[in-house]
Amino acid sequence: MIKKSTEIPDDLKAEFERTQKIVLGFVQWLQFCIMDTARDSNFTKNHLLSFLHQDILETLFGVLSHVLEGIHTPPIRESRYLLELSIKVSFIQRERYFSTIEEKLAEFDKEIKAPSISPMKRIDLSYLKDDTKPVFLEEVGRLYGAASSFVHVTPKSIEYRQHRVGDGRIMGKESSEDLTKLNDLLQSIYAASLVFLSHSVPQYVIGDWLVDRTGELTKWHYIGSRYIAEIDSTLDYKAERKEILERVVRQRALGIQF
């Protein structure tokens, strides 16, 4: 657990707790995913996540440590990178899952180098409903655009800093509204990243993570995402849920928060 170097003001405590749930919820999923997917003896030979998970972990822990110190714009920039990485990993793994990593890097050199997330339109998002897919992709485009505003110098990024400094909200002096807005953005970006990465691993991994022997909804921050909840609904056929399905469906619908 990463701790803040100074005492957390009372008006920020709830949002700091949410920051940790947002980041550590992703970390939990990633660690499980890597271990479960690695049951395949070829995992290190053909899956980009076998080593790129380190990039994701560095990003997540870097974001958490920055946010806890009141540093906001670097986490936005890093989260844009994470979203782009998730899209490209998903696209490449879906296209050529069994190719070696070397073959993947050679074949998809152009897509990897391009500063674009357009490959997301070519991913078969099989866990999402047909009418959900365009809504999801539109939201991803909006999130990527919002985060991109802080990657390069833009009028928006300059005005953002001007307004915060003008109000006395310098680094470490953020308001509860500042942190709430940042958390909302990070939460949405990470939920989208998890959707893409879920499509890059075998279906059994997603099933193992979301449905245990009880069949109950997993106690996980991201089950509150409407997109993750939709992925979870594709597992309602499992025997573990047969006797409790009506309750699971109801709880899942009521638990959607973002």
Side-chain angles (χ1 to χ4, degrees):
M1 183 71 70
I2 296 176
K3 295 183 179 180
K4 199 176 188 302
S5 61
T6 57
E7 186 175 351
I8 299 174
D10 289 340
D11 63 323
L12 296 179
K13 285 182 178 178
E15 282 302 318
F16 273 126
E17 289 178 5
R18 184 159 73 108
T19 303
Q20 301 210 40
K21 290 178 181 178
I22 289 168
V23 173
L24 298 180
F26 200 133
V27 171
Q28 286 178 303
W29 179 92
L30 184 63
Q31 291 176 325
F32 178 91
C33 176
I34 295 302
M35 290 188 293
D36 211 26
T37 311
R39 289 159 54 187
D40 178 357
S41 60
N42 290 316
F43 177 60
T44 58
K45 298 176 183 177
N46 63 25
H47 209 299
L48 294 168
L49 281 181
S50 64
F51 57 94
L52 283 178
H53 72 278
Q54 286 291 304
D55 261 14
I56 298 175
L57 287 174
E58 281 189 4
T59 296
L60 292 170
F61 283 117
V63 165
L64 182 55
S65 61
H66 274 139
V67 175
L68 290 177
E69 294 302 329
I71 301 171
H72 286 190
T73 51
I76 296 174
R77 290 193 287 268
E78 286 294 307
S79 297
R80 174 191 179 272
Y81 168 79
L82 178 52
L83 181 57
E84 179 183 344
L85 179 67
S86 301
I87 290 169
K88 291 180 177 178
V89 167
S90 179
F91 170 67
I92 294 170
Q93 289 296 145
R94 294 289 283 192
E95 289 288 305
R96 296 288 185 272
Y97 191 92
F98 297 104
S99 296
T100 66
I101 289 168
E102 291 72 24
E103 290 169 341
K104 288 179 169 73
L105 295 180
E107 181 176 356
F108 297 101
D109 177 77
K110 181 180 178 181
E111 286 84 358
I112 293 170
K113 288 180 178 177
S116 167
I117 58 170
S118 60
M120 71 179 183
K121 298 176 182 177
R122 297 156 60 190
I123 300 172
D124 178 17
L125 298 171
S126 57
Y127 294 133
L128 300 182
K129 297 175 182 177
D130 287 343
D131 57 346
T132 301
K133 294 174 186 178
V135 176
F136 172 70
L137 293 177
E138 182 179 354
E139 180 172 337
V140 171
R142 178 183 61 78
L143 292 169
Y144 188 75
S148 295
S149 297
F150 294 89
V151 173
H152 306 290
V153 179
T154 66
K156 181 177 180 179
S157 68
I158 293 173
E159 290 173 357
Y160 169 87
R161 184 59 64 191
Q162 179 187 27
H163 293 155
R164 288 190 63 159
V165 171
D167 292 340
R169 288 149 45 224
I170 59 175
M171 185 181 70
K173 298 292 184 181
E174 71 275 27
S175 69
S176 59
E177 182 181 3
D178 290 330
L179 186 51
T180 297
K181 288 181 177 179
L182 177 62
N183 276 341
D184 287 346
L185 179 61
L186 298 181
Q187 180 174 256
S188 295
I189 289 176
Y190 295 170
S193 294
L194 286 165
V195 170
F196 286 116
L197 291 175
S198 292
H199 284 85
S200 78
V201 297
Q203 193 271 349
Y204 76 81
V205 176
I206 304 306
D208 289 348
W209 171 255
L210 290 173
V211 183
D212 64 14
R213 60 182 180 78
T214 70
E216 299 283 355
L217 287 178
T218 183
K219 293 179 173 61
W220 182 39
H221 180 76
Y222 288 96
I223 203 67
S225 159
R226 60 173 172 154
Y227 302 117
I228 300 297
E230 192 163 305
I231 292 176
D232 183 80
S233 71
T234 67
L235 301 165
D236 285 346
Y237 69 89
K238 284 182 168 285
E240 295 89 340
R241 285 188 171 171
K242 182 178 180 181
E243 302 297 327
I244 60 171
L245 184 57
E246 184 177 338
R247 173 159 52 84
V248 168
V249 171
R250 182 174 63 254
Q251 290 177 340
R252 186 168 55 221
L254 292 174
I256 295 174
Q257 300 175 12
F258 55 96

